[in-house]
Amino acid sequence: IEAMRRLPAAYRLVIFARPDAYGDRCRAAASSVGERQVVFEAPVSYQALLGMAASADLGCIFHDQDASTGYFMANADRLGLFAACGIPFVASDVPNMESVVYRWGLGECVDALSPDAVAAAFRRLGDCHLRRGELGRRSQEAFRRELNIEAHAPRLAAALSEIVAS
């Protein structure tokens, strides 16, 4: 939200938030940014989310690793969604996320708690349509080849069968 102040007015941030303490904090922070740049949506079904995400130019996968080590280890849902849709993204600069993002060329990783770093990364990705298009194509290819469960299902099934047999 803070990074939005540093981006041109054409940039939009969509936040899915319930009317709870987290949503209230986000709305309070966004009140000084401007209604048009930060849009709040109620949580939606995966089908609706897929439709919305598919029309996005950029995505973000942020996590405050100081608050919890849990969820950043399981961002496969958003990473897979963005990669499948060919959407470059900016993510938290935690080691496991950096290794996937830079190995497959999916976007950039920055300190998610630094509005300047977040805004600069969005500008680098968003302001160059050619680069964004190339990253999108690379993301979709990575998803088809490696970043989906079907690519790993035979090995996983074999490992599970071996465990059950022993």
Side-chain angles (χ1 to χ4, degrees), residues 22 25 62-72 92 94 113:
Y22 170 77
R25 284 194 314 272
F62 294 142
H63 180 77
D64 179 2
Q65 66 269 14
D66 294 334
S68 164
T69 57
Y71 189 68
F72 88 87
S92 296
V94 293
L113 300 177

Side-chain angles (χ1 to χ4, degrees), residues 2-134:
E2 291 294 320
M4 295 306 292
R5 288 193 183 101
R6 294 156 173 86
L7 292 169
Y11 280 73
R12 299 286 186 270
L13 174 64
V14 177
I15 298 175
F16 295 94
R18 298 181 194 288
D20 56 15
Y22 170 77
D24 293 345
R25 284 194 314 272
C26 290
R27 284 179 183 81
S31 66
S32 64
V33 175
E35 295 174 8
R36 295 181 49 83
Q37 267 191 286
V38 181
V39 178
F40 286 90
E41 295 283 344
V44 296
S45 69
Y46 183 78
Q47 190 71 15
L49 176 64
L50 183 59
M52 295 171 88
S55 66
D57 292 318
L58 299 170
C60 59
I61 303 174
F62 294 142
H63 180 77
D64 179 2
Q65 66 269 14
D66 294 334
S68 164
T69 57
Y71 189 68
F72 88 87
M73 297 296 285
N75 269 306
D77 54 348
R78 278 190 280 168
L79 190 149
L81 173 67
F82 293 148
C85 293
I87 300 166
F89 58 86
V90 178
S92 296
D93 61 350
V94 293
N96 66 311
M97 183 62 77
E98 286 179 317
S99 69
V100 175
V101 169
Y102 293 127
R103 176 179 182 194
W104 296 102
L106 306 175
E108 292 194 22
C109 294
V110 299
D111 177 359
L113 300 177
S114 168
D116 289 330
V118 171
F122 275 115
R123 290 296 297 260
R124 284 190 298 275
L125 293 176
D127 290 353
C128 180
H129 295 287
L130 293 174
R131 181 168 187 236
R132 198 172 63 231
E134 175 58 31

